[in-house]
Amino acid sequence: MIEFCHISKSFRTDFWARPINALTDVSFQLSSKEVTGFLGANGSGKTTTLKILMHFISASAGEVVYAPELGKTFLEIVSNIGYMPERPYFYSNLTGREFLFYMGSLNEVKMPLLRERVSRWGERLQIAHALDRKINNYSKGMLQRLGLVSILLHGPQLLILDEPLSGVDPIGRKEMKAALDEIHKEGKTIFFSSHIVPDIEEICTSVVVLEEGKVRYSGPVDALLGRNSNKKEGPSLEDMVYKLGKLP
Ligand SMILES: Nc1ncnc2c1ncn2[C@@H]1O[C@H](COP(=O)(O)OP(=O)(O)OP(=O)(O)O)[C@@H](O)[C@H]1O
Ligand SMILES: [Mg+2]
């Protein structure tokens, strides 16, 4: 569905300083209708990769190829993507419901459908009870849930989520993972970054592992763990990712 072809990105913070190479020759594919996890330590380049995918910043080299099913123009492509940034911004003087209606109308979702989706995803992500409260009273986990609902309103085919589970308590994480699983079963493609390897192992069929801006692995989780899909014993993804990090 999306192919990263030899993407490199360097940031120049100051004319005299050496540029920071955030990404070096990054290539991988996101397959349609799969859940792909994006793993990497702090500063390994995950957010930079996702920002390049969304055209918020441009790559220094390489290109991102979008499948025709996502759209012909970039405007069509982005209207088929639901993107949740690492630090989403919310208008805190609005109620959750007002914010969701605002986001839905920005995406030109018609009112009856918008109402139905706010109610459906609000219930599913267990935030419906708080939707008439002002956002400035929300906890971190409630904001994450609201953020996820807000990017589902226009019915995107592809979800790009930058650490959607961070700051969510264990029960909340479980519920959000179940919701992501449900969204996946509806035929959506999901690409999400996380630091929590067991979460990725639980819901992802594929994984991309970045280390210092380079791809250490991209492909099926089962192939990385050296097991066939019926067999659940063997090393955990956490063991394997740790080993990958130890490679020269
Ligand atoms: N606008 C910028 N200017 C300069 N350097 C940047 C900029 N954005 C990112 N970087 C650098 O690029 C590298 C990758 O950063 P990035 O935010 O992509 O990492 P990350 O994998 O998302 O980390 P985290 O897990 O902490 O969110 C880091 O060294 C960071 O300092
Ligand atoms: Mg990041």
Side-chain angles (χ1 to χ4, degrees):
M1 178 171 258
I2 288 189
E3 190 173 354
F4 275 74
C5 307
H6 307 288
I7 296 276
S8 295
K9 174 72 184 172
S10 54
F11 290 104
R12 194 174 269 283
T13 45
D14 159 355
F15 184 78
W16 302 106
R18 278 221 275 154
I20 299 163
N21 292 323
L23 299 174
T24 311
D25 199 20
V26 166
S27 296
F28 64 88
Q29 282 187 22
L30 292 181
S31 306
S32 184
K33 302 191 197 312
E34 274 207 38
V35 187
T36 304
F38 199 14
L39 280 171
N42 290 130
S44 56
K46 301 179 299 297
T47 298
T48 304
T49 306
L50 301 183
K51 283 182 180 169
I52 290 173
L53 189 159
M54 294 302 298
H55 281 204
F56 295 147
I57 56 173
S58 53
S60 311
E63 61 168 342
V64 184
V65 179
Y66 303 83
E69 63 194 280
L70 276 176
K72 288 190 203 79
T73 60
F74 189 68
L75 207 61
E76 249 174 69
I77 292 170
V78 282
S79 66
N80 257 321
I81 299 179
Y83 170 71
M84 189 159 132
E86 193 169 27
R87 283 174 231 138
Y89 179 80
F90 298 97
Y91 296 102
S92 56
N93 59 334
L94 298 182
T95 66
R97 194 180 308 280
E98 286 165 346
F99 174 73
L100 293 178
F101 283 149
Y102 174 64
M103 293 300 283
S105 57
L106 280 183
N107 282 297
E108 298 177 352
V109 185
K110 298 274 178 300
M111 211 26 154
L113 184 61
L114 183 54
R115 258 199 208 100
E116 185 207 307
R117 285 183 175 158
V118 166
S119 146
R120 176 176 173 212
W121 290 112
E123 293 290 338
R124 188 65 196 82
L125 290 158
Q126 309 215 343
I127 191 70
H129 66 283
L131 286 183
D132 292 313
R133 276 158 54 185
K134 285 221 166 160
I135 294 177
N136 57 13
N137 297 322
Y138 279 24
S139 69
K140 174 97 183 355
M142 288 162 84
L143 289 175
Q144 292 294 84
R145 289 161 201 243
L146 185 70
L148 193 49
V149 175
S150 76
I151 64 156
L152 289 165
L153 300 174
H154 59 297
Q157 280 185 53
L158 169 66
L159 297 186
I160 305 289
L161 313 169
D162 201 352
E163 296 190 38
L165 304 174
S166 85
V168 183
D169 62 57
I171 294 172
R173 286 223 314 272
K174 204 163 174 234
E175 287 160 5
M176 281 184 70
K177 281 184 278 184
L180 288 178
D181 208 36
E182 193 176 304
I183 295 165
H184 171 226
K185 288 200 176 101
E186 284 188 1
K188 316 265 190 213
T189 308
I190 304 176
F191 185 38
F192 81 96
S193 70
S194 175
H195 288 286
I196 307 158
V197 186
D199 283 347
I200 299 255
E201 186 168 11
E202 212 175 298
I203 57 170
C204 296
T205 41
S206 296
V207 67
V208 178
V209 183
L210 267 194
E211 193 195 351
E212 292 176 6
K214 295 186 184 127
V215 175
R216 297 310 303 244
Y217 178 81
S218 82
V221 172
D222 285 334
L224 177 61
L225 302 185
R227 67 186 182 195
N228 67 44
S229 44
N230 305 325
K231 215 171 106 194
K232 289 286 170 207
E233 48 294 341
S236 70
L237 183 59
E238 200 152 18
D239 297 337
M240 286 311 286
V241 169
Y242 182 71
K243 274 193 197 145
L244 276 178
K246 294 278 157 196
L247 291 174

